[in-house]
């Protein structure tokens, strides 16, 4: 299983580069090796190829195509967006197409995210205060949010269940949610953090659950039900209820839950640079701070069963 990674090479100055590595077959999903066996032996990764090293500048981001045969990779280097095609042997990366930011000053990408929708033909990027959408078939720009944030945009994430919804966060301490069909104004804005917001992630299964991590040392779990694909009450209609299950008047008039902060986690003592959801358990998430502390938490059980039931 090839894996893309960023590396740092130092020779009088620090340059960020990228390469593709292959994991040993023993560590791939479905292998018969037990956890005890894997922990007793140090495995060696196989270097398949470099992604052009630093010919286009320092790498800011590398992203695999979300679906498909695993042959396409997007990388962002300075002001270049590069689409790589891995050959059949996965031992060579060919630059299939590219595009560049144009404008005054030294424009540089800070983050990028490949959309899982539209047959994986769209990528969103961040540079300075702007968010841009790109069509990977033509490497042309399809939308631009010039001043998405008041300061630097740090991270992006696509709603996995609603194809036009995109989240962004930045140094203005805000998290914003966009409908890429109309980018004049965000559909929602969160202002719960007191310092730079480094990371934002949608839950892979229940997109009303959104994680954010910030330099205020906090991780915040929010419930964005109003713009989710699972609006309150959509699972059961009045017509589906039997006479015995008929709702009481007070239940019928009950207001649906509002967008809110579910929980704030303060186990970190330094800036939280990354948050992410488990790919195996939709209720499990992790956060990583500058001091190297990794914290794993779960969605509160009461909310879990409220969503499921």
């Amino acid at each position: 299983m090839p894996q893309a990674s960023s590396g740092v090479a130092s020779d009088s100055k620090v340059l960020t580069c990228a390469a593709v590595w292959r994991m040993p077959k023993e560590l791939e999903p479905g292998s018969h090796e037990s956890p005890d066996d894997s922990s007793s032996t140090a495995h060696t990764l196989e270097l398949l190829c470099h992604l052009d090293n630093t010919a286009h500048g320092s790498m800011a981001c590398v992203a695999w195509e979300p679906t498909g045969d695993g042959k396409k990779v997007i990388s962002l280097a300075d002001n270049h967006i590069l689409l790589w095609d891995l050959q059949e042997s996965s031992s060579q990366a060919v630059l299939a197409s590219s595009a560049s930011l144009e404008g005054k000053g030294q424009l540089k990408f800070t983050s990028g995210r490949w959309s899982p929708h539209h047959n994986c033909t769209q990528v969103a990027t961040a540079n300075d205060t702007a968010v841009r959408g790109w069509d990977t078939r033509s490497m042309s720009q399809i939308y631009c949010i010039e001043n998405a944030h008041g300061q630097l945009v740090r991270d992006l994430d696509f709603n996995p269940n609603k194809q036009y919804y995109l989240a962004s966060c930045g140094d203005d301490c805000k998290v914003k949610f966009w409908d890429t069909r109309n980018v004049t104004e965000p559909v929602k804005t969160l202002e719960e953090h007191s310092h730079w917001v480094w990371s934002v992630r949608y839950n892979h299964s229940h997109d009303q659950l959104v994680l954010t991590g910030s330099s205020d040392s906090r991780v915040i779990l929010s419930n964005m039900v109003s713009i989710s694909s699972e609006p309150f009450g959509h699972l059961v209609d009045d017509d589906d209820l039997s006479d015995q299950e008929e709702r009481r008047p007070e239940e019928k008039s009950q207001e649906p839950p509002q967008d809110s902060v579910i929980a704030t986690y303060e186990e970190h003592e330094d800036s939280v640079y990354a948050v992410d959801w488990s790919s195996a358990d939709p209720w499990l998430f992790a956060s990583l701070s500058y001091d190297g502390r990794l914290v794993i938490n779960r969605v509160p059980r009461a909310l879990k069963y409220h969503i499921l039931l």
Side-chain angles (χ1 to χ4, degrees):
M1 177 185 294
Q3 300 287 322
S5 65
S6 296
V8 177
S10 178
D11 183 13
S12 74
K13 63 178 180 178
V14 176
L15 295 175
T16 307
C17 57
V20 179
W21 302 77
R22 185 186 297 279
M23 293 174 59
K25 290 185 178 180
E26 295 84 0
L27 298 181
E28 290 190 7
S31 68
H32 299 292
E33 183 170 321
S34 69
D36 291 339
D37 294 335
S38 62
S39 63
S40 62
T41 305
H43 295 275
T44 303
L45 298 176
E46 177 189 355
L47 175 62
L48 297 181
C49 58
H50 290 281
L51 296 182
D52 203 33
N53 286 336
T54 57
H56 293 91
S58 290
M59 292 285 183
C61 177
V62 181
W64 284 105
E65 183 182 22
T67 60
D69 56 7
K71 298 295 183 184
K72 294 182 179 179
V73 181
I74 280 284
S75 66
L76 305 178
D78 283 353
N79 67 325
H80 302 283
I81 177 171
L82 311 167
L83 175 62
W84 300 92
D85 184 12
L86 299 183
Q87 298 302 293
E88 287 300 319
S89 63
S90 295
S91 60
Q92 183 180 1
V94 175
L95 184 59
S97 56
S98 64
S100 301
L101 287 173
E102 297 180 358
K104 297 179 179 179
Q106 294 183 335
L107 301 177
K108 290 186 177 182
F109 289 111
T110 55
S111 180
R113 202 74 172 164
W114 203 317
S115 171
H117 310 294
H118 313 288
N119 294 318
C120 297
T121 59
Q122 294 188 13
V123 171
T125 63
N127 71 283
D128 197 17
T129 63
V131 173
R132 303 171 192 272
W134 304 83
D135 188 325
T136 58
R137 295 166 296 185
S138 60
M139 296 305 282
S140 58
Q141 191 172 292
I142 52 179
Y143 59 83
C144 179
I145 314 173
E146 286 287 358
N147 292 297
H149 287 263
Q151 298 181 49
L152 183 70
V153 180
R154 291 282 179 183
D155 197 20
L156 305 166
D157 198 26
F158 281 97
N159 186 315
N161 301 327
K162 296 187 74 173
Q163 61 180 335
Y164 296 106
Y165 278 66
L166 172 70
S168 64
C169 62
D171 285 2
D172 58 359
C173 313
K174 297 178 182 179
V175 180
K176 296 186 179 183
F177 300 88
W178 306 90
D179 183 335
T180 58
R181 295 167 295 183
N182 181 6
V183 295
T184 54
E185 293 289 339
V187 292
K188 285 283 182 179
T189 300
L190 295 179
E191 301 183 48
E192 301 296 334
H193 286 288
S194 59
H195 209 273
W196 303 345
V197 186
W198 283 85
S199 185
V200 57
R201 287 291 180 268
Y202 277 103
N203 185 284
H204 306 308
S205 301
H206 306 284
D207 56 272
Q208 67 264 53
L209 302 178
V210 178
L211 277 175
T212 54
S214 166
S215 289
D216 62 10
S217 305
R218 297 185 299 161
V219 174
I220 294 180
L221 174 61
S222 299
N223 184 18
M224 304 306 296
V225 65
S226 70
I227 54 174
S228 76
S229 62
E230 300 179 359
F232 177 75
H234 80 295
L235 295 177
V236 180
D237 295 326
D238 287 343
D239 294 340
D240 296 331
L241 297 174
S242 64
D243 293 339
Q244 290 79 14
E245 295 173 322
E246 189 66 37
R247 294 178 180 175
R248 296 189 296 272
E250 61 269 20
E251 291 178 334
K252 287 186 177 183
S253 61
Q254 183 182 11
E255 287 291 326
Q258 301 296 312
D259 296 340
S260 61
V261 171
I262 298 166
T264 300
Y265 301 89
E266 299 183 351
E267 294 95 339
H268 292 284
E269 297 178 358
D270 214 323
S271 297
V272 180
Y273 283 165
V275 294
D276 217 336
W277 294 94
S278 165
S279 59
D281 184 342
W283 312 107
L284 195 68
F285 59 91
S287 54
L288 180 66
S289 55
Y290 175 76
D291 56 6
R293 178 176 294 184
L294 176 70
V295 177
I296 297 176
N297 276 301
R298 286 188 176 275
V299 173
R301 181 172 297 182
L303 177 66
K304 171 183 175 179
Y305 289 116
H306 179 75
I307 292 174
L308 293 176
L309 304 177

